[in-house]
mmCIF file of all heavy atoms in Angstrom:
data_model
loop_
_atom_site.group_PDB
_atom_site.id
_atom_site.type_symbol
_atom_site.label_atom_id
_atom_site.label_comp_id
_atom_site.label_asym_id
_atom_site.label_seq_id
_atom_site.Cartn_x
_atom_site.Cartn_y
_atom_site.Cartn_z
ATOM 1 N N ALA A 261 -17.346 12.505 3.737
ATOM 2 C CA ALA A 261 -17.189 13.281 2.495
ATOM 3 C C ALA A 261 -18.559 13.534 1.875
ATOM 4 O O ALA A 261 -18.859 14.645 1.419
ATOM 5 C CB ALA A 261 -16.277 12.537 1.526
ATOM 6 N N LYS A 262 -19.388 12.493 1.891
ATOM 7 C CA LYS A 262 -20.737 12.648 1.321
ATOM 8 C C LYS A 262 -21.531 13.676 2.136
ATOM 9 O O LYS A 262 -22.190 14.561 1.586
ATOM 10 C CB LYS A 262 -21.450 11.297 1.325
ATOM 11 C CG LYS A 262 -22.821 11.347 0.706
ATOM 12 C CD LYS A 262 -23.183 10.026 0.064
ATOM 13 C CE LYS A 262 -24.453 10.140 -0.743
ATOM 14 N NZ LYS A 262 -24.233 10.219 -2.156
ATOM 15 N N HIS A 263 -21.438 13.558 3.450
ATOM 16 C CA HIS A 263 -22.182 14.470 4.323
ATOM 17 C C HIS A 263 -21.785 15.928 4.062
ATOM 18 O O HIS A 263 -22.634 16.820 4.012
ATOM 19 C CB HIS A 263 -21.925 14.111 5.791
ATOM 20 C CG HIS A 263 -22.546 15.086 6.746
ATOM 21 N ND1 HIS A 263 -23.879 15.033 7.091
ATOM 22 C CD2 HIS A 263 -22.031 16.164 7.387
ATOM 23 C CE1 HIS A 263 -24.154 16.020 7.917
ATOM 24 N NE2 HIS A 263 -23.050 16.728 8.112
ATOM 25 N N PHE A 264 -20.475 16.150 3.914
ATOM 26 C CA PHE A 264 -19.999 17.525 3.752
ATOM 27 C C PHE A 264 -19.944 17.970 2.282
ATOM 28 O O PHE A 264 -19.549 19.103 1.990
ATOM 29 C CB PHE A 264 -18.609 17.684 4.394
ATOM 30 C CG PHE A 264 -18.656 17.679 5.909
ATOM 31 C CD1 PHE A 264 -18.213 16.586 6.639
ATOM 32 C CD2 PHE A 264 -19.176 18.765 6.608
ATOM 33 C CE1 PHE A 264 -18.263 16.581 8.033
ATOM 34 C CE2 PHE A 264 -19.226 18.770 7.998
ATOM 35 C CZ PHE A 264 -18.781 17.676 8.709
ATOM 36 N N GLY A 265 -20.289 17.067 1.370
ATOM 37 C CA GLY A 265 -20.340 17.440 -0.045
ATOM 38 C C GLY A 265 -18.975 17.709 -0.655
ATOM 39 O O GLY A 265 -18.818 18.584 -1.512
ATOM 40 N N ILE A 266 -17.959 16.936 -0.212
ATOM 41 C CA ILE A 266 -16.622 17.096 -0.808
ATOM 42 C C ILE A 266 -16.243 15.796 -1.532
ATOM 43 O O ILE A 266 -16.761 14.722 -1.197
ATOM 44 C CB ILE A 266 -15.536 17.445 0.263
ATOM 45 C CG1 ILE A 266 -15.468 16.356 1.349
ATOM 46 C CG2 ILE A 266 -15.814 18.827 0.863
ATOM 47 C CD1 ILE A 266 -14.309 16.557 2.333
ATOM 48 N N PRO A 267 -15.334 15.870 -2.516
ATOM 49 C CA PRO A 267 -14.992 14.647 -3.262
ATOM 50 C C PRO A 267 -14.197 13.649 -2.422
ATOM 51 O O PRO A 267 -13.408 14.036 -1.564
ATOM 52 C CB PRO A 267 -14.157 15.169 -4.437
ATOM 53 C CG PRO A 267 -13.714 16.529 -4.056
ATOM 54 C CD PRO A 267 -14.709 17.072 -3.071
ATOM 55 N N PHE A 268 -14.422 12.379 -2.717
ATOM 56 C CA PHE A 268 -13.700 11.293 -2.058
ATOM 57 C C PHE A 268 -12.975 10.495 -3.146
ATOM 58 O O PHE A 268 -13.602 9.830 -3.963
ATOM 59 C CB PHE A 268 -14.674 10.385 -1.290
ATOM 60 C CG PHE A 268 -13.971 9.302 -0.534
ATOM 61 C CD1 PHE A 268 -13.450 9.538 0.732
ATOM 62 C CD2 PHE A 268 -13.798 8.040 -1.105
ATOM 63 C CE1 PHE A 268 -12.768 8.537 1.421
ATOM 64 C CE2 PHE A 268 -13.122 7.039 -0.407
ATOM 65 C CZ PHE A 268 -12.615 7.289 0.849
ATOM 66 N N TYR A 269 -11.638 10.621 -3.161
ATOM 67 C CA TYR A 269 -10.841 9.985 -4.210
ATOM 68 C C TYR A 269 -10.113 8.756 -3.687
ATOM 69 O O TYR A 269 -9.564 8.771 -2.579
ATOM 70 C CB TYR A 269 -9.776 10.952 -4.741
ATOM 71 C CG TYR A 269 -10.309 12.254 -5.287
ATOM 72 C CD1 TYR A 269 -9.946 13.477 -4.718
ATOM 73 C CD2 TYR A 269 -11.154 12.266 -6.396
ATOM 74 C CE1 TYR A 269 -10.420 14.691 -5.222
ATOM 75 C CE2 TYR A 269 -11.640 13.466 -6.907
ATOM 76 C CZ TYR A 269 -11.268 14.671 -6.319
ATOM 77 O OH TYR A 269 -11.737 15.858 -6.816
ATOM 78 N N VAL A 270 -10.048 7.719 -4.524
ATOM 79 C CA VAL A 270 -9.208 6.545 -4.253
ATOM 80 C C VAL A 270 -8.091 6.560 -5.287
ATOM 81 O O VAL A 270 -8.358 6.752 -6.475
ATOM 82 C CB VAL A 270 -10.036 5.244 -4.390
ATOM 83 C CG1 VAL A 270 -9.128 4.027 -4.326
ATOM 84 C CG2 VAL A 270 -11.117 5.180 -3.315
ATOM 85 N N ALA A 271 -6.844 6.388 -4.840
ATOM 86 C CA ALA A 271 -5.711 6.359 -5.771
ATOM 87 C C ALA A 271 -5.060 4.984 -5.701
ATOM 88 O O ALA A 271 -4.676 4.536 -4.617
ATOM 89 C CB ALA A 271 -4.690 7.441 -5.396
ATOM 90 N N ALA A 272 -4.958 4.322 -6.857
ATOM 91 C CA ALA A 272 -4.400 2.959 -6.847
ATOM 92 C C ALA A 272 -3.926 2.551 -8.237
ATOM 93 O O ALA A 272 -4.549 2.908 -9.239
ATOM 94 C CB ALA A 272 -5.458 1.961 -6.370
#
Side-chain angles (χ1 to χ4, degrees):
K262 182 150 189 103
H263 174 81
F264 287 107
I266 58 173
F268 183 84
Y269 303 119
V270 171

